[in-house]
Amino acid sequence: MRRIIKCIPNTLTLANLFCGCLAVTYALDGDARTAFWLVITAAVFDFFDGFAARLLKAHSPIGADLDSLADMVSFGVVPSAVLYSLGLGWFGFIVALFSALRLAKFNIDERQSVEFIGLPTPANALFFTSIGYVLATYDSGYFVDVFSTKWFLYVLAVSFSLLMVSEIRMFSLKLKSFSFKANALVYCFLIFSAVLLVIFGVGAVPFVMLVYIITSLVRNVLQVRKVA
């Protein structure tokens, strides 16, 4: 029975990987909307595999490595496939390359236990796959015009790739407790994000990710000034 319980976290990780594999095929076929929802599903499995490992005390070295391999596909290859289908060609796979660097760095960086250093790969994947969703869903509008500009997508691909391997500290959404005072930034961000998503739907996701990055940058500046 114990051996079966130990397999639960890894099974969830494999479900994450399976969703990522499916998302790649849909993205390359031009179905960005299905690819987006598969990435969302992969992110859910990615959250619960770690949660299950902690709850069941089923941590293992193979589980940690398997998690990174699954994330590489679901949150590294998928956004690259979306960029490829949006017209960036092979250049779009720069995101996959830097995602690999990001995940390798995360595995050996002991500073990232309570916060992230560099943009997390799931956030990066949600940003680009949601752009694909917006362009596949809406025919016109200011945001569609901006995101469909190819040079702008090139700039975004390079910028977000560099953000993933940067030394910028990004706050984590994982709560150590339910105290509002101890998690004020996380609660405010989640409430703000929820409001945007209710009003604008999936179209709000790219801007939620941008708010996350900008908030982290401002937080870094304030922390540096506080220390100084």
Side-chain angles (χ1 to χ4, degrees), residues 106 109-116 172 174 176:
F106 179 81
D109 193 343
E110 297 179 355
R111 299 173 296 167
Q112 302 193 53
S113 58
V114 295
E115 63 182 353
F116 299 112
S172 172
K174 295 179 181 179
K176 293 290 185 179

Side-chain angles (χ1 to χ4, degrees), residues 26-27 29-37 82 85-86 129-134 136:
Y26 280 102
D29 284 342
D31 189 350
R33 285 182 290 188
T34 301
F36 170 77
W37 289 117
V82 169
S85 68
L86 291 178
T129 55
S130 62
I131 287 177
Y133 183 100
V134 169

Side-chain angles (χ1 to χ4, degrees), residues 54-92:
R54 291 189 295 272
L55 181 66
L56 302 173
K57 297 180 180 179
H59 293 280
S60 67
I62 191 174
D65 289 339
L66 187 62
D67 186 68
S68 291
L69 292 171
D71 288 354
M72 180 59 215
V73 175
S74 299
F75 310 130
V77 179
V78 175
S80 289
V82 169
L83 288 172
Y84 177 88
S85 68
L86 291 178
L88 267 62
W90 297 112
F91 186 85

Side-chain angles (χ1 to χ4, degrees), residues 175-193:
L175 303 177
K176 293 290 185 179
S177 68
F178 293 105
S179 167
F180 181 83
K181 184 177 181 180
N183 302 284
L185 178 61
V186 175
Y187 281 130
C188 290
F189 173 75
L190 290 175
I191 293 170
F192 178 74
S193 300

Side-chain angles (χ1 to χ4, degrees), residues 86 130-139 143-145 147-148 153:
L86 291 178
S130 62
I131 287 177
Y133 183 100
V134 169
L135 295 179
T137 304
Y138 305 103
D139 296 324
F143 296 140
V144 173
D145 294 337
F147 287 137
S148 60
L153 290 177

Side-chain angles (χ1 to χ4, degrees), residues 140-208:
S140 61
Y142 175 75
F143 296 140
V144 173
D145 294 337
V146 170
F147 287 137
S148 60
T149 305
K150 191 173 291 187
W151 68 263
F152 186 58
L153 290 177
Y154 279 111
V155 171
L156 287 176
V158 173
S159 299
F160 274 69
S161 293
L162 294 175
L163 275 174
M164 282 192 287
V165 296
S166 71
E167 287 293 306
I168 299 173
R169 294 182 178 273
M170 305 273 182
F171 66 92
S172 172
L173 299 182
K174 295 179 181 179
L175 303 177
K176 293 290 185 179
S177 68
F178 293 105
S179 167
F180 181 83
K181 184 177 181 180
N183 302 284
L185 178 61
V186 175
Y187 281 130
C188 290
F189 173 75
L190 290 175
I191 293 170
F192 178 74
S193 300
V195 171
L196 286 182
L197 290 170
V198 168
I199 297 174
F200 300 107
V202 175
V205 175
F207 302 99
V208 169

